[in-house]
Amino acid sequence: MPAGGRGGCAGAAVSTRPKDKLRRDLVVNPSLILVPPEAAGERLDRFVAALPEVASRGEAERLVASGAVRVDGEPRPKSHRLTGGELLEVDSGERLAAVLEPETRDLRIAYEDEHLLVVDKPAGIVVHPSAGHPGGTLVQALLDRGIAGGDVPERPGIVHRLDRDTSGLLVVARSQEAYVRLQDLVRRRALDRRYLALVRGKPRSRTGRIEAPIGRDRHDPLRRSLDTDTPRDAITHFELERLFPKHALLSIRLETGRTHQIRVHLAAIDLPVVGDPVYGVPDPELGRQFLHANRLSFPHPFGGETVEAESRLPDELQAALARLAS
């Protein structure tokens, strides 16, 4: 949409007032905001963070991620660039006031030094506070271990994430410098992440590469999909580990790390993840999705030596394989 506006806004005088004052004046009501022409090119999350009813980058990211922010009626990713003249809907009722305090939880630390740690996350625990999950998260369980870094206060040290019901390994920073260097590894695709996934069906080949962009589903902002207006490149590699009569155990390597990437990609090739109620096939006996981050390796962001960590399959996933083999 060209700068200059929509709905009769074309030709409006350009204001020279500071942006924060301008944004206060452009609030149509507490949840509708008209984006000024001066905001053309600005990221959605940065614009929302400057609104007086939001007031922080972390809160803006949570609102955008939860679908509580819509641009001309449609949810957009946080990196969406505004053009000016759009109508923003902001449901500030989704706001979260998270207070980070340490919580005691028995966690396995697979590797740690003064710069970072690799934690073995159990299934059922959310990585960081978010709408609906103010406490009981991995971040709060790691606060006493000195995690730090990043520009979102509620996510100190978090470089990459695992879904709540995915278990396994992830690396967490202990300083801003470590966070920046680990983020660079992620951008350069130097963080080697391996998973085990049990799927229904048989792959057509022993190895495969899935390359299909993923974004928010056109019809459901809480789902990721190949049917999207906001595609981001996504590449998943798989290799057959074990074959069962109606199932297969796959070893997965992520080349990119999009939200729900493995689950969406495998469903797209008719190999849905067992126990996944959203994209896969439910399994009441298992009670969770069969997806486990079993290996993690990367060059140390300071010394350059290879850091490698492994995680055994949790008991409930081993029991699921035993049932299929019996």
Side-chain angles (χ1 to χ4, degrees):
M1 184 178 298
R6 61 187 295 275
C9 294
V14 175
S15 172
T16 58
R17 288 170 291 176
K19 280 189 175 181
D20 58 347
K21 179 63 165 64
L22 179 64
R23 290 174 188 177
R24 284 181 173 85
D25 292 346
L26 286 171
V27 175
V28 179
N29 66 41
S31 63
L32 295 177
I33 299 96
L34 186 64
V35 178
E38 296 91 331
E42 190 170 352
R43 281 174 56 118
L44 176 60
D45 58 344
R46 294 184 183 276
F47 181 88
V48 173
L51 296 172
E53 65 268 40
V54 177
S56 82
R57 181 78 178 276
E59 191 166 275
E61 288 197 354
R62 285 194 300 272
L63 289 169
V64 173
S66 68
V69 176
R70 291 168 293 279
V71 181
D72 287 333
E74 297 291 335
R76 298 295 184 192
K78 65 181 182 181
S79 58
H80 174 76
R81 297 287 177 175
L82 297 168
T83 59
E86 302 99 318
L87 190 64
L88 253 62
E89 301 172 66
V90 181
D91 183 2
S92 57
E94 294 292 330
R95 293 169 64 181
L96 170 70
V99 177
L100 286 185
E101 294 184 355
E103 297 179 5
T104 301
R105 184 181 287 268
D106 187 20
L107 293 172
R108 173 179 174 261
I109 304 300
Y111 173 90
E112 66 179 323
D113 59 26
E114 69 270 30
H115 302 294
L116 56 90
L117 60 84
V118 177
V119 61
D120 198 346
K121 185 187 87 70
I125 179 174
V126 176
V127 170
H128 57 72
S130 59
H133 299 282
T137 71
L138 187 69
V139 159
Q140 285 145 323
L142 291 174
L143 284 177
D144 283 340
R145 290 185 173 270
I147 60 173
D151 59 358
V152 181
E154 295 80 12
R155 305 179 191 178
I158 299 301
V159 177
H160 63 118
R161 287 172 282 180
L162 297 176
D163 296 337
R164 180 187 63 185
D165 291 328
T166 298
S167 52
L169 302 167
L170 71 162
V171 60
V172 184
R174 281 180 151 166
S175 69
Q176 180 62 23
E177 181 64 20
Y179 177 87
V180 170
R181 295 190 183 200
L182 286 169
Q183 283 279 34
D184 182 59
L185 292 181
V186 173
R187 279 192 294 271
R188 293 192 287 111
R189 301 182 180 179
L191 198 67
D192 191 334
R193 290 165 283 180
R194 307 291 176 112
Y195 297 74
L196 290 172
L198 181 68
V199 299
R200 185 182 66 184
K202 298 180 181 180
R204 297 178 181 178
S205 59
R206 295 193 64 87
T207 63
R209 181 177 187 268
I210 309 167
E211 182 171 3
I214 293 174
R216 287 192 183 275
D217 186 89
R218 284 193 173 98
H219 309 292
D220 185 347
L222 299 181
R223 290 171 57 100
R224 297 306 192 271
S225 172
L226 308 186
D227 182 18
T228 179
D229 293 321
T230 55
R232 300 183 69 190
D233 64 304
I235 302 173
T236 304
H237 301 263
F238 70 85
E239 181 176 353
L240 179 64
E241 284 281 321
R242 189 175 177 184
L243 196 59
F244 299 92
K246 297 181 179 180
H247 298 80
L249 182 66
L250 303 180
S251 175
I252 307 291
R253 178 173 68 85
L254 286 181
E255 191 169 323
T256 56
R258 307 305 177 206
T259 301
H260 301 172
Q261 177 175 321
I262 294 174
R263 300 156 63 193
V264 172
H265 269 177
L266 291 179
I269 61 169
D270 297 321
L271 294 173
V273 173
V274 172
D276 177 3
V278 179
Y279 308 100
V281 286
D283 186 330
E285 190 171 2
L286 178 57
R288 57 161 290 199
Q289 61 202 28
F290 196 121
L291 190 55
H292 179 68
N294 67 316
R295 291 176 56 196
L296 182 64
S297 64
F298 53 92
H300 195 284
F302 289 88
E305 69 276 12
T306 300
V307 176
E308 295 182 304
E310 294 192 8
S311 171
R312 65 185 292 276
L313 271 179
D315 292 344
E316 69 274 15
L317 301 189
Q318 293 191 47
L321 294 182
R323 286 196 300 272
L324 292 176
S326 61

